């Protein structure tokens, strides 16, 4: 059997760059998703706080 030919250094570097870019995009998406959920929770808590304050007064 012939030994497997390894990809050239340029192809491996390009693959690494593609992986880094994909990881960066995924990280930004996850951070945005978490920020969006946190925003919805904060708005809901603020609404509950306003309703509680109005009933207390």
């Amino acid at each position: 059997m012939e030994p497997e030919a390894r990809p050239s250094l340029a192809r491996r570097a390009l693959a690494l760059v593609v992986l880094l870019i994909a990881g960066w995009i995924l990280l930004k998406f996850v951070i945005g998703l978490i920020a969006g959920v946190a925003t919805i929770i904060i708005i809901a808590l603020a609404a509950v706080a306003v309703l509680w304050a109005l009933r207390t007064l």
Side-chain angles (χ1 to χ4, degrees):
M1 277 205 268
E2 295 179 25
E4 292 184 26
R6 292 182 61 172
S8 69
L9 189 58
R11 283 189 84 138
R12 290 172 58 186
L14 179 63
L16 180 63
V17 169
V18 168
L19 281 174
L20 289 174
I21 291 171
W24 177 254
I25 291 171
L26 184 61
L27 180 66
K28 293 199 57 101
F29 174 76
V30 169
I31 289 173
L33 186 65
I34 291 171
V37 170
T39 301
I40 291 171
I41 291 171
I42 289 172
I43 290 171
L45 287 175
V48 169
V50 167
L51 289 174
W52 173 81
L54 289 173
R55 288 182 187 207
T56 301
L57 294 177

